[in-house]
Each structure stands twice: as C-alpha cells, then as structure tokens.
Amino acid sequence: MKQSLKAKRLSLPEAKIALGRFGEPSESAAVVAFLASGEGHWVTRQTLEASGGYKL
C-alpha cells in the first residue's frame, strides 16, 4: 500500500515535465560543464532553464 502511494506522489510532478521524467544529475552537470568550457565563453548574462520543460 505504501509503495503504491509513493509511486502516485512521484508520478504527479513527472506529469508536469514535458520529457516525462526527472532529470539526472549528469544532465545538469553537462550544462555547467559547457558554460565553464571554452565553448561556452560567448554566453553571457543569460538565464538557462534546465528543467526538461517543467510547467507549474
């Protein structure tokens, strides 16, 4: 019973994410690595949303 309730609670936020799942830490780290690398040197004063399309 507890397991099914927990699964239901987790599925509600995931339904609001366009990709249908929570992001992995490695996916967020890839954004940070790009910005810290030489390839990201031209990106300035931007707000990058790495949310998978999450809508409130």
Side-chain angles (χ1 to χ4, degrees):
M1 180 75 174
K2 280 186 178 181
Q3 193 71 316
S4 64
L5 290 176
K6 186 176 181 180
K8 284 181 183 179
R9 280 187 292 178
L10 287 177
S11 67
L12 291 175
E14 286 180 340
K16 294 181 180 180
I17 301 172
L19 293 177
R21 63 178 179 82
F22 292 111
E24 296 294 325
S26 62
E27 293 169 318
S28 296
V31 175
V32 173
F34 169 75
L35 293 172
S37 73
E39 294 177 8
H41 76 277
W42 199 251
V43 179
T44 60
R45 298 189 62 153
Q46 298 298 312
T47 301
L48 299 177
E49 185 178 327
S51 66
Y54 179 77
K55 300 288 183 192
L56 291 176

